[in-house]
Short mmCIF file of all heavy atoms in Angstrom, two decimals:
data_model
loop_
_atom_site.label_atom_id
_atom_site.label_comp_id
_atom_site.label_asym_id
_atom_site.label_seq_id
_atom_site.Cartn_x
_atom_site.Cartn_y
_atom_site.Cartn_z
N PRO A 117 3.37 -5.99 3.90
CA PRO A 117 3.50 -6.93 5.02
C PRO A 117 3.43 -8.37 4.52
O PRO A 117 2.96 -8.65 3.42
CB PRO A 117 2.29 -6.58 5.90
CG PRO A 117 1.89 -5.20 5.50
CD PRO A 117 2.22 -5.08 4.04
N VAL A 154 -5.73 7.12 10.68
CA VAL A 154 -5.43 6.03 11.61
C VAL A 154 -4.28 6.36 12.55
O VAL A 154 -4.22 5.82 13.67
CB VAL A 154 -5.13 4.72 10.82
CG1 VAL A 154 -6.34 4.27 10.05
CG2 VAL A 154 -3.93 4.91 9.88
N ASP A 155 -3.35 7.23 12.15
CA ASP A 155 -2.21 7.54 13.01
C ASP A 155 -2.35 8.88 13.71
O ASP A 155 -1.43 9.33 14.40
CB ASP A 155 -0.90 7.51 12.22
CG ASP A 155 -0.88 8.49 11.06
OD1 ASP A 155 -1.90 9.19 10.86
OD2 ASP A 155 0.13 8.56 10.34
N GLU A 161 -5.43 8.54 5.95
CA GLU A 161 -4.62 7.56 5.22
C GLU A 161 -5.54 6.59 4.47
O GLU A 161 -6.61 6.23 4.98
CB GLU A 161 -3.72 6.76 6.16
CG GLU A 161 -2.53 7.53 6.71
CD GLU A 161 -2.91 8.45 7.84
OE1 GLU A 161 -3.88 8.14 8.57
OE2 GLU A 161 -2.24 9.50 8.00
N VAL A 180 -4.59 -3.34 4.51
CA VAL A 180 -3.34 -2.62 4.71
C VAL A 180 -3.61 -1.12 4.68
O VAL A 180 -4.38 -0.63 3.84
CB VAL A 180 -2.29 -3.00 3.64
CG1 VAL A 180 -1.00 -2.21 3.83
CG2 VAL A 180 -2.01 -4.50 3.69
N ALA A 181 -2.98 -0.39 5.59
CA ALA A 181 -3.03 1.08 5.60
C ALA A 181 -1.73 1.62 5.00
O ALA A 181 -0.66 1.03 5.20
CB ALA A 181 -3.23 1.61 7.01
N PHE A 182 -1.83 2.74 4.29
CA PHE A 182 -0.67 3.36 3.64
C PHE A 182 -0.47 4.78 4.16
O PHE A 182 -1.41 5.44 4.59
CB PHE A 182 -0.86 3.39 2.12
CG PHE A 182 -0.92 2.02 1.48
CD1 PHE A 182 -2.12 1.34 1.38
CD2 PHE A 182 0.23 1.41 1.01
CE1 PHE A 182 -2.19 0.08 0.81
CE2 PHE A 182 0.18 0.15 0.44
CZ PHE A 182 -1.04 -0.51 0.33
N ASP A 183 0.78 5.24 4.10
CA ASP A 183 1.14 6.60 4.53
C ASP A 183 2.32 7.06 3.68
O ASP A 183 2.77 6.33 2.79
CB ASP A 183 1.50 6.59 6.02
CG ASP A 183 1.38 7.98 6.66
OD1 ASP A 183 1.11 8.94 5.92
OD2 ASP A 183 1.56 8.09 7.87
N VAL A 191 4.06 4.54 1.19
CA VAL A 191 4.59 3.29 1.74
C VAL A 191 3.48 2.61 2.54
O VAL A 191 2.50 3.24 2.94
CB VAL A 191 5.82 3.53 2.65
CG1 VAL A 191 7.00 4.06 1.86
CG2 VAL A 191 5.46 4.48 3.79
N ALA A 192 3.64 1.31 2.76
CA ALA A 192 2.70 0.58 3.61
C ALA A 192 2.96 0.93 5.07
O ALA A 192 4.07 0.75 5.56
CB ALA A 192 2.84 -0.92 3.38
N LEU A 193 1.94 1.45 5.74
CA LEU A 193 2.07 1.79 7.16
C LEU A 193 2.02 0.53 8.01
O LEU A 193 2.83 0.35 8.92
CB LEU A 193 0.97 2.76 7.56
CG LEU A 193 0.93 3.17 9.03
CD1 LEU A 193 2.17 3.98 9.39
CD2 LEU A 193 -0.32 3.99 9.33
N GLY A 194 1.10 -0.37 7.72
CA GLY A 194 1.00 -1.61 8.49
C GLY A 194 -0.21 -2.41 8.07
O GLY A 194 -1.12 -1.92 7.40
N ARG A 195 -0.21 -3.68 8.47
CA ARG A 195 -1.32 -4.58 8.18
C ARG A 195 -2.34 -4.52 9.31
O ARG A 195 -1.98 -4.66 10.48
CB ARG A 195 -0.83 -6.00 8.00
CG ARG A 195 -1.96 -7.00 7.72
CD ARG A 195 -1.47 -8.42 7.57
NE ARG A 195 -0.82 -8.90 8.78
CZ ARG A 195 0.41 -9.37 8.82
NH1 ARG A 195 1.15 -9.39 7.73
NH2 ARG A 195 0.94 -9.78 9.96
N TRP A 245 -3.97 1.87 15.44
CA TRP A 245 -2.53 2.03 15.28
C TRP A 245 -1.93 2.37 16.65
O TRP A 245 -2.17 3.43 17.20
CB TRP A 245 -2.24 3.11 14.27
CG TRP A 245 -0.79 3.35 14.00
CD1 TRP A 245 -0.04 4.42 14.39
CD2 TRP A 245 0.10 2.50 13.26
NE1 TRP A 245 1.25 4.29 13.95
CE2 TRP A 245 1.37 3.12 13.26
CE3 TRP A 245 -0.04 1.28 12.62
CZ2 TRP A 245 2.47 2.58 12.63
CZ3 TRP A 245 1.05 0.72 11.99
CH2 TRP A 245 2.29 1.36 11.99
N GLY A 248 3.47 1.68 16.79
CA GLY A 248 4.08 1.30 15.52
C GLY A 248 3.46 0.11 14.83
O GLY A 248 4.04 -0.43 13.88
N ARG A 249 2.28 -0.30 15.24
CA ARG A 249 1.61 -1.41 14.56
C ARG A 249 0.11 -1.35 14.87
O ARG A 249 -0.33 -0.62 15.76
CB ARG A 249 2.17 -2.76 15.04
CG ARG A 249 1.86 -3.07 16.50
CD ARG A 249 2.52 -4.36 16.95
NE ARG A 249 2.15 -4.71 18.32
CZ ARG A 249 1.11 -5.46 18.65
NH1 ARG A 249 0.33 -5.96 17.69
NH2 ARG A 249 0.83 -5.73 19.89
N PHE A 250 -0.67 -2.13 14.11
CA PHE A 250 -2.09 -2.22 14.37
C PHE A 250 -2.33 -3.35 15.38
O PHE A 250 -1.86 -4.47 15.20
CB PHE A 250 -2.87 -2.50 13.09
CG PHE A 250 -3.03 -1.28 12.23
CD1 PHE A 250 -2.18 -1.06 11.15
CD2 PHE A 250 -4.03 -0.35 12.49
CE1 PHE A 250 -2.31 0.07 10.36
CE2 PHE A 250 -4.17 0.77 11.70
CZ PHE A 250 -3.32 0.98 10.64
#
Side-chain angles (χ1 to χ4, degrees):
V154 296
D155 59 359
E161 287 78 30
V180 178
F182 295 88
D183 201 355
V191 294
L193 178 66
R195 179 181 61 237
W245 181 252
R249 67 184 184 90
F250 283 98

